[in-house]
Amino acid sequence: MNGEDRFEDLEKIRERLEFFRDLGVEFLIISGEPARKQEEMKKDNPLLISPGLNQSQEADVQAEWDRLIRKILTCQACPLYRGRTQAVPGEGNRQARLMFVGEAPGRDEDLQGRPFVGRAGQLLTKIIQAMGFSREEVYIANVIKCRPPENRTPKPDEVKACSPFLLRQIELVKPKVIVALGKVAVDFLLPGARSMSEVRGKFGQFQGIPVMPTFHPSYLVRNEGNKEIKRMVWEDMKKVLQLLKP
Ligand code: URA
């Protein structure tokens, strides 16, 4: 690694630590443990507890996921398919105890076929890391799987047409907690909510699963200098962590 690369890495670390500080993160767990110890520690990770399926059940679940992803990638149930580069099904640990639900793919997501990889996605990744997890340990999906033109808010008909996909994802993942990112996800999971300020930070329920409504990461991007908003999101995530404790 040359001096320039090292400088870039240090810059990235500085930026991440500054974000954690703005969130109000009180402490960080720095793991300098050897790889074997880390493997052992994973066994205790509350996000990675296997539901204990036998081999044939696992094969069935895998086949079900394959079918679902194929359906999403080839869906033409609403006009959004005409403008997509590719659909964005979602990604992460399919047995995750923590699931994040956003609104719809933006430009970067449409190009890469992965959720939350643009600027808002980078913020979401930092929030997940501040919680002590990696993106691979949680499941990340959107209400809508194809990018709306100019990133406009999805129309009710589009949400309706796409809804079987997210419903099935939730059924398959069976998360212990869902974080609803922004109003579109909140409206889907907690219908009847009037405004974000009314529901944010208070657990609701979706089919018996606790749902924490919080601000969408794009809102944080748009209000980058506003530490109060970041702190509110972190307060919400602390409640989620509390609920995930084994
Ligand atoms: N915004 C979302 O709601 N979802 C994404 O995947 C990216 C941006």
Side-chain angles (χ1 to χ4, degrees):
M1 186 188 276
N2 65 32
E4 227 168 81
D5 289 345
R6 199 168 300 148
F7 181 71
E8 257 178 45
D9 280 353
L10 284 174
E11 269 299 291
K12 278 190 202 142
I13 293 170
R14 186 179 62 80
E15 194 192 304
R16 191 176 304 172
L17 289 174
E18 277 177 5
F19 180 74
F20 290 171
R21 183 201 57 203
D22 289 352
L23 279 178
V25 172
E26 283 129 18
F27 61 89
L28 288 174
I29 300 166
I30 311 283
S31 174
E33 298 291 349
R36 192 173 52 77
K37 184 81 188 296
Q38 283 192 22
E39 275 309 305
E40 273 170 32
M41 282 159 63
K42 268 192 185 165
K43 281 195 220 130
D44 299 326
N45 185 325
L47 296 183
L48 295 177
I49 296 168
S50 152
L53 299 180
N54 67 34
Q55 257 186 348
S56 110
Q57 286 168 323
E58 251 175 46
D60 288 347
V61 173
Q62 182 62 39
E64 180 70 33
W65 271 107
D66 290 347
R67 263 196 303 276
L68 178 62
I69 302 294
R70 221 174 307 125
K71 274 192 197 162
I72 295 173
L73 293 177
T74 55
C75 178
Q76 300 191 349
C78 84
L80 290 182
Y81 83 90
R82 293 201 193 98
R84 75 183 173 215
T85 309
Q86 57 200 310
V88 180
E91 68 181 24
N93 174 7
R94 292 171 176 180
Q95 294 167 5
R97 297 177 77 224
L98 175 56
M99 183 163 178
F100 289 85
V101 175
E103 179 176 318
R107 185 173 168 274
D108 295 299
E109 291 77 19
D110 170 76
L111 290 174
Q112 294 186 40
R114 299 179 55 208
F116 282 100
V117 288
R119 272 200 78 197
Q122 285 159 19
L123 270 196
L124 177 63
T125 303
K126 284 184 196 162
I127 291 168
I128 292 169
Q129 289 168 343
M131 295 173 85
F133 307 128
S134 67
R135 279 177 68 109
E136 294 72 32
E137 288 173 310
V138 302
Y139 196 82
I140 306 172
N142 284 305
V143 172
I144 292 277
K145 310 303 188 195
C146 296
R147 182 192 182 198
E150 310 301 325
N151 300 343
R152 66 154 168 73
T153 304
K155 295 177 182 171
D157 278 0
E158 294 158 355
V159 172
K160 195 168 169 210
C162 219
S163 65
F165 297 139
L166 180 59
L167 290 176
R168 193 71 191 117
Q169 284 173 309
I170 294 172
E171 272 170 14
L172 286 169
V173 175
K174 301 186 192 70
K176 186 157 192 286
V177 189
I178 300 175
V179 175
L181 301 164
K183 190 67 168 50
V184 171
V186 168
D187 284 343
F188 185 92
L189 296 164
L190 305 172
R194 262 176 290 163
S195 66
M196 277 308 289
S197 55
E198 183 192 48
V199 292
R200 196 225 103 235
K202 298 180 208 127
F203 279 111
Q205 293 256 332
F206 177 79
Q207 297 182 353
I209 304 168
V211 175
M212 173 54 74
T214 197
F215 293 126
H216 193 285
S218 307
Y219 184 64
L220 296 191
V221 172
R222 285 198 302 276
N223 295 279
E224 192 142 22
N226 189 331
K227 290 188 188 164
E228 191 47 37
I229 299 175
K230 287 184 194 150
R231 278 173 201 272
M232 285 195 244
V233 170
W234 186 238
E235 285 306 311
D236 303 343
M237 295 308 102
K238 283 200 285 192
K239 291 179 193 165
V240 169
L241 286 173
Q242 196 62 32
L243 207 70
L244 280 170
K245 274 192 182 161

